[in-house]
Amino acid sequence: MKLTILLFAFLYATFLLHSQIKKGDNVISLNGMYTKNTTQDGVMGNSMTVNNRHLNLGATFTSYVTNHLLLGFGLDYISQKDLRTSELVLNDGHDVNSQIMRYETLNLKSTAPLPFLLVGYNMDVTNKLNFNANLKINYGKVSTTIDDQTIYQQSLIVNTTLSSFIPMPTMTSGSKETNDFAAASIIPEMTYFFTNQIGLSVALGGIQYSITDWKTSKSDFWINLSPNTWLIGLKYKL
């Protein structure tokens, strides 16, 4: 019995002590995430629908200056598309026998290549599983395109029933702007190595403070560990 306990203790210690990552190692990482969702509020005749698509891709080179400390740099690419549609029925203030319906579509597209610097702390959980806590500093330009279209339509009411529709002028507008963006993020990450060189990583959301508009000093702060913020990636040890 004692021999069995000692054998298990030796195997467990060996399992913990053989690290996948060590001082002097260099690692290339690729990760990303894609989300798509639709939300709808209100009822027919007074409703809003939002279709959102978000893409986040990243590439990182890291160097382990000690068994625990890592330094790196890389590039993130973020793309977000929002399509917002609304429908609103208004009573005509000049004619009680008519209504005015307003349909509006707002299309927002934002893209941003964001270079970053990285410093992190690495801890071995087992000989194949690693935990990292990374501090990442991003800076770049965010380009946003906005297209808006508003359609008005007048409907006549006869005996409480809509009888006909009268087209009205359509209003369209568009704009494009570029803003500076800076962010500091603390990101927890788990990596499981299938071989001595290849591993699967999951960045588990994190904490972020960002400046989204330097002209107005607009900033944003969030803490989010939800799975829809996780980045799935591959690591290759050189």
Side-chain angles (χ1 to χ4, degrees):
M1 183 65 181
K2 292 182 179 180
L3 182 60
T4 303
I5 295 175
L6 289 174
L7 178 62
F8 275 108
F10 174 77
L11 292 175
Y12 181 72
T14 303
F15 189 66
L16 289 177
L17 291 175
H18 282 75
S19 173
Q20 243 0 74
I21 297 291
K22 61 184 183 300
K23 178 181 178 180
D25 286 342
N26 296 313
V27 177
I28 293 177
S29 307
L30 299 174
N31 61 23
M33 57 89 75
Y34 175 78
T35 59
K36 178 181 178 181
N37 60 71
T38 300
T39 58
Q40 185 170 7
D41 296 318
V43 295
M44 185 176 296
N46 188 8
S47 63
M48 173 176 284
T49 303
V50 179
N51 295 297
N52 175 271
R53 298 182 181 183
H54 183 82
L55 174 68
N56 190 337
L57 300 174
T60 310
F61 175 84
T62 53
S63 180
Y64 288 75
V65 295
T66 72
N67 288 341
H68 298 291
L69 178 65
L70 61 100
L71 300 175
F73 63 90
L75 178 67
D76 287 332
Y77 175 79
I78 297 175
S79 174
Q80 183 163 325
K81 298 180 180 180
D82 286 351
L83 177 59
R84 305 175 186 179
T85 59
S86 66
E87 177 183 329
L88 180 63
V89 177
L90 303 170
N91 291 323
D92 190 340
H94 302 285
D95 188 351
V96 295
N97 292 319
S98 71
Q99 289 181 334
I100 296 177
M101 303 183 69
R102 188 188 73 180
Y103 303 93
E104 184 177 5
T105 60
L106 182 64
N107 195 359
L108 294 91
K109 298 179 181 179
S110 297
T111 58
L114 300 173
F116 64 83
L117 297 176
L118 182 78
V119 59
Y121 179 82
N122 172 71
M123 181 177 67
D124 300 326
V125 180
T126 70
N127 70 325
K128 292 183 179 294
L129 184 65
N130 287 40
F131 172 79
N132 283 4
N134 299 323
L135 170 64
K136 183 165 74 170
I137 307 295
N138 288 88
Y139 177 79
K141 301 279 189 178
V142 179
S143 298
T144 303
T145 301
I146 303 173
D147 295 310
D148 181 71
Q149 183 181 59
T150 304
I151 301 173
Y152 289 93
Q153 194 173 59
Q154 186 179 21
S155 58
L156 299 179
I157 303 173
V158 178
N159 296 326
T160 69
T161 303
L162 296 178
S163 62
S164 62
F165 295 93
I166 303 174
M168 300 178 68
T170 298
M171 302 172 60
T172 60
S173 64
S175 64
K176 186 175 181 179
E177 59 183 30
T178 300
N179 293 311
D180 293 309
F181 176 87
S185 309
I186 298 176
I187 304 169
E189 182 183 56
M190 300 295 294
T191 303
Y192 181 83
F193 282 89
F194 295 100
T195 71
N196 288 332
Q197 290 184 296
I198 300 175
L200 175 67
S201 66
V202 181
L204 307 171
I207 303 172
Q208 184 182 86
Y209 174 78
S210 60
I211 301 176
T212 56
D213 191 336
W214 292 76
K215 295 179 181 179
T216 61
S217 299
K218 182 180 178 181
S219 62
D220 189 24
F221 176 79
W222 56 259
I223 301 175
N224 196 341
L225 301 177
S226 172
N228 62 4
T229 64
W230 292 2
L231 296 172
I232 308 299
L234 287 173
K235 291 183 181 290
Y236 180 77
K237 185 170 70 171
L238 300 177

